[in-house]
Amino acid sequence: MSNNNNISIKKDKNIDPIKEYIKMNNIHAIVEQSGVQIPCGTNKKKKTIDTQVIKQKVLNLLFNTTNNAHNYKHLPGAMPVTLLRKDIMTLITDKYWVLEKSDGVRHLLLIDTDSKGYLIDRAWNIKEIEDPNYINIKKVPVLLDGEVIMNETTKVEQYSMFDIISYNNTYYANQYLPIRHKAMSLFIQDYLKLKNISMPIQLKAFRPVKELHQITDCIQYDEKTNHYIYKDNKGRHNLNDGLVFIPVEDDYFCKDKTMFKWKWLELNTIDCLIKNLFDNNTTLHFYVGGPNNSEIDFMQTRFDHLNSISKNYINQIKELKLSQCIVECNIINSNCQIVGLRMDKNIANYIVTAKSTKQAIDDNILINELIQLFKN
């Protein structure tokens, strides 16, 4: 495993933000990837999904109810918090399992009784997986949690599962992690009986924290692409951006304990708002969210202190004639540098998240440090 904490981010340099902007504004024709049809064209008839029906089914399965009427703005569920140096002792004294953190997009996967599959993201965007081979073996709803990732070997999108809520008419969200992990394994055994699936499902590798090295041994840094790659002998092969630590003795919602995430130093980023780019200012201000939808001036960087990648993104934002934009930022030598455009977002990170990410950068917890601590 290579651990380079001084690498400049280039992971988004091949993304054309203008094309991304056009796609986000529904100008392209239908895009079809791995059996998931994403309607994003004005000249094509969009496939209609009764989102309220799907949302209600998901909420019922999440909370084991028959009619959950609460209107959740975002999908309920535990979210990992950034691991800081002060949290390391918690990982040592409490029971935790670790898994690699894929560079993917988190979705719940609902496999309904009619064998249709639905991907649901955190903002309740729902996409139907149109696959005649996606057969629901048990004939009862299945609800999984995981990420949609690209398998770097097959170049096919797949669903990387890391938790389970409901399967085989059994509610698992209130169970401890080992029981949920066993249920995930049973689901995979049933799933492997299916053939020619357009979006494969695979279970992530879980290890006790003392065996962290077994996870990190599968991660290599590719200097040609500036990406971390996870690859093991079970067919898992995807981009990686860190680790996730899940408490063993807690339920799916992590009601009593905290789920943590650790990211490679240069991948610790903050989504900030920038604006007023057409003014003749000498300093670029990076805003994050505050109480009551306020904007907080989180950091400032002089334009002449921006690196070439940041300046390139600024020029592209100007080409789009955007008055403001959410940008993904890293902090290098006390300066905010832009490493990507977030056309999928219109809200910056909240101040608490921004501060914890900045603290993680300052703490600079190295992977070998964690491996040695857990071994002892």
Side-chain angles (χ1 to χ4, degrees):
M1 179 198 64
S2 172
N3 180 28
N4 189 336
N5 284 327
N6 298 309
I7 302 162
S8 62
I9 293 293
K10 298 180 182 177
K11 67 175 182 176
D12 294 295
K13 70 176 182 179
N14 295 322
I15 296 177
D16 186 335
I18 296 179
K19 291 181 179 179
E20 191 72 11
Y21 178 76
I22 291 173
K23 186 170 70 175
M24 292 300 297
N25 282 273
N26 298 331
I27 298 174
H28 284 315
I30 287 182
V31 177
E32 186 171 340
Q33 292 182 331
S34 303
V36 180
Q37 288 193 340
I38 309 169
C40 42
T42 54
N43 297 324
K44 297 285 185 176
K45 183 178 180 180
K46 293 185 179 182
K47 181 175 180 62
T48 58
I49 299 174
D50 194 333
T51 56
Q52 288 303 313
V53 170
I54 300 301
K55 182 176 181 179
Q56 190 62 63
K57 287 183 178 180
V58 169
L59 288 173
N60 289 346
L61 291 170
L62 270 171
F63 297 103
N64 199 28
T65 61
T66 56
N67 189 22
N68 191 300
H70 190 89
N71 185 24
Y72 290 92
K73 184 177 180 180
H74 298 286
L75 197 65
M79 293 292 290
V81 302
T82 300
L83 179 70
L84 303 179
R85 193 164 290 279
K86 66 180 180 62
D87 302 315
I88 293 178
M89 189 55 63
T90 299
L91 296 181
I92 295 174
T93 56
D94 290 351
K95 295 179 181 178
Y96 275 83
W97 284 359
V98 61
L99 55 154
E100 68 95 12
K101 184 179 184 298
S102 303
D103 186 5
V105 181
R106 186 175 179 180
H107 288 81
L108 291 187
L109 173 58
L110 169 66
I111 304 177
D112 212 347
T113 51
D114 58 4
S115 297
K116 289 184 178 179
Y118 299 92
L119 290 168
I120 306 101
D121 70 11
R122 300 289 299 175
W124 288 109
N125 296 309
I126 300 172
K127 301 173 186 176
E128 181 180 341
I129 302 175
E130 297 183 341
D131 192 334
N133 298 315
Y134 227 175
I135 301 169
N136 190 323
I137 296 176
K138 300 296 184 180
K139 303 301 180 184
V140 290
V142 176
L143 188 61
L144 312 173
D145 199 350
E147 293 176 296
V148 176
I149 63 173
M150 178 67 69
N151 186 294
E152 295 298 309
T153 298
T154 63
K155 296 302 178 182
V156 171
E157 276 191 325
Q158 69 180 46
Y159 189 77
S160 183
M161 174 175 57
F162 54 71
D163 220 322
I164 192 166
I165 294 98
S166 183
Y167 170 62
N168 197 16
N169 218 23
T170 303
Y171 182 64
Y172 287 101
N174 60 353
Q175 300 295 321
Y176 281 0
L177 181 57
I179 296 176
R180 304 200 309 274
H181 185 263
K182 184 177 180 180
M184 286 185 265
S185 300
L186 291 174
F187 167 81
I188 288 295
Q189 290 178 21
D190 280 339
Y191 164 79
L192 290 177
K193 299 173 185 176
L194 305 180
K195 304 296 182 183
N196 302 319
I197 302 298
S198 64
M199 179 173 282
I201 303 174
Q202 193 162 40
L203 176 60
K204 279 183 175 288
F206 287 72
R207 294 288 184 274
V209 290
K210 288 187 176 181
E211 299 174 9
L212 170 60
H213 63 282
Q214 294 187 21
I215 299 292
T216 57
D217 285 347
C218 297
I219 303 174
Q220 298 291 328
Y221 180 74
D222 186 343
E223 294 185 357
K224 293 181 180 179
T225 62
N226 272 11
H227 286 140
Y228 290 93
I229 308 291
Y230 178 89
K231 185 177 183 180
D232 63 18
N233 59 5
K234 302 294 184 181
R236 303 180 185 94
H237 186 195
N238 54 265
L239 302 185
N240 167 272
D241 61 13
L243 304 167
V244 174
F245 298 90
I246 303 180
V248 172
E249 296 178 344
D250 207 347
D251 63 12
Y252 167 77
F253 296 99
C254 292
K255 294 177 181 176
D256 300 318
K257 299 181 186 298
T258 303
M259 185 192 310
F260 294 103
K261 63 181 178 181
W262 174 93
K263 300 182 75 171
W264 305 100
L265 180 62
E266 66 273 20
L267 300 185
N268 271 303
T269 57
I270 305 170
D271 292 339
C272 298
L273 171 70
I274 58 173
K275 53 186 178 179
N276 304 324
L277 295 180
F278 297 95
D279 297 342
N280 294 321
N281 297 323
T282 59
T283 301
L284 183 61
H285 295 256
F286 294 84
Y287 297 90
V288 296
N292 302 317
N293 297 318
S294 62
E295 297 172 355
I296 297 175
D297 193 349
F298 184 64
M299 290 191 70
Q300 307 82 38
T301 298
R302 288 174 53 89
F303 275 96
D304 56 359
H305 289 171
L306 293 173
N307 59 26
S308 59
I309 296 174
S310 296
K311 291 177 180 177
N312 183 47
Y313 280 121
I314 293 295
N315 290 333
Q316 291 173 344
I317 294 171
K318 288 181 176 180
E319 287 179 23
L320 293 172
K321 298 181 179 180
L322 298 177
S323 59
Q324 61 184 36
C325 184
I326 302 296
V327 294
E328 185 179 3
C329 305
N330 195 292
I331 301 174
I332 303 173
N333 297 326
S334 299
N335 288 313
C336 252
Q337 302 292 350
I338 302 173
V339 299
L341 305 184
R342 294 303 306 267
M343 294 298 189
D344 59 325
K345 294 186 67 174
N346 55 17
I347 300 176
N349 284 154
Y350 194 65
I351 182 63
V352 175
T353 301
K355 284 184 175 181
S356 65
T357 302
K358 186 176 184 300
Q359 185 61 54
I361 295 171
D362 293 339
D363 285 355
N364 191 17
I365 303 173
L366 301 179
I367 191 63
N368 289 334
E369 181 181 354
L370 290 175
I371 292 173
Q372 291 303 316
L373 282 170
F374 296 145
K375 276 186 176 180
N376 297 330

